[in-house]
Amino acid sequence: MKKTILILIIFTCFSFKGFSAGTEDNTSWDKPDGYYKAKKLIEKNQFNEAVALLEETLKKSQYQKDADILTEYAFGLRKIKNFKKSEEYYLKALKINPDHKGALEYIGELYVDTKRINLAKEILIKLEKCKCEEYSELKNYINKAN
């Protein structure tokens, strides 16, 4: 009986490893360690390091269709002011998941950063229905630019 309980406890602990706040798709348990390490680097404003780590991750074809990984990569690129490549990767993420709230918010912010406020407002309209944090964040970002 004790062995059964111990096995259940161990199984329960390891079965939730991959669930992480901030992911949008249902494959978060398939994320590589590089994704989680990059997110931590981004939280510390170490964008160059995060971008390098995500570039390595994206060399593996199975991760090139992961909207969360593409969004984090694009975010890091935007923070180091590589706007053209950042936009390319946000658009790739949105092609995979057109409703990805993080990608929508961040591409909206990129549009503000690149003085394309009208495009940012179009993205804001897409987020309006979700009544989510991403909508509020983008709205505030747009308002600060005006």
Side-chain angles (χ1 to χ4, degrees), residues 76-88:
L77 290 167
R78 180 170 64 93
K79 290 298 188 175
I80 61 172
K81 308 260 189 258
N82 189 339
F83 297 126
K84 184 177 180 179
K85 193 169 182 180
S86 175
E87 184 172 359
E88 174 188 337

Side-chain angles (χ1 to χ4, degrees), residues 37-75:
K37 289 176 183 175
K39 283 183 68 109
K40 288 181 182 178
L41 289 169
I42 287 171
E43 289 171 7
K44 296 176 184 177
N45 296 327
Q46 296 175 332
F47 303 114
N48 287 313
E49 294 88 343
V51 165
L53 190 55
L54 288 167
E55 281 175 351
E56 284 300 310
T57 300
L58 288 168
K59 287 181 180 177
K60 297 179 180 133
S61 63
Q62 73 261 33
Y63 301 124
Q64 294 171 9
K65 296 198 181 210
D66 186 308
D68 295 331
I69 295 172
L70 295 170
T71 298
E72 290 298 324
Y73 181 56
F75 182 86

Side-chain angles (χ1 to χ4, degrees), residues 32-140:
D33 287 339
Y35 170 77
Y36 298 107
K37 289 176 183 175
K39 283 183 68 109
K40 288 181 182 178
L41 289 169
I42 287 171
E43 289 171 7
K44 296 176 184 177
N45 296 327
Q46 296 175 332
F47 303 114
N48 287 313
E49 294 88 343
V51 165
L53 190 55
L54 288 167
E55 281 175 351
E56 284 300 310
T57 300
L58 288 168
K59 287 181 180 177
K60 297 179 180 133
S61 63
Q62 73 261 33
Y63 301 124
Q64 294 171 9
K65 296 198 181 210
D66 186 308
D68 295 331
I69 295 172
L70 295 170
T71 298
E72 290 298 324
Y73 181 56
F75 182 86
L77 290 167
R78 180 170 64 93
K79 290 298 188 175
I80 61 172
K81 308 260 189 258
N82 189 339
F83 297 126
K84 184 177 180 179
K85 193 169 182 180
S86 175
E87 184 172 359
E88 174 188 337
Y89 277 86
Y90 283 135
L91 292 173
K92 284 182 181 187
L94 290 168
K95 186 174 183 181
I96 293 164
N97 181 355
D99 298 320
H100 193 288
K101 290 180 269 186
L104 286 167
E105 174 193 348
Y106 295 146
I107 198 168
E109 291 176 1
L110 179 136
Y111 291 148
V112 171
D113 293 343
T114 56
K115 311 290 188 240
R116 296 179 284 170
I117 300 293
N118 288 340
L119 290 175
K121 288 179 180 178
E122 288 177 21
I123 298 295
L124 188 63
I125 291 167
K126 289 181 182 181
L127 283 169
E128 190 170 23
K129 295 175 188 163
C130 77
K131 305 289 185 216
C132 53
E133 180 180 342
E134 290 82 0
Y135 171 79
S136 301
E137 293 287 329
L138 180 55
K139 184 176 181 180
N140 290 336

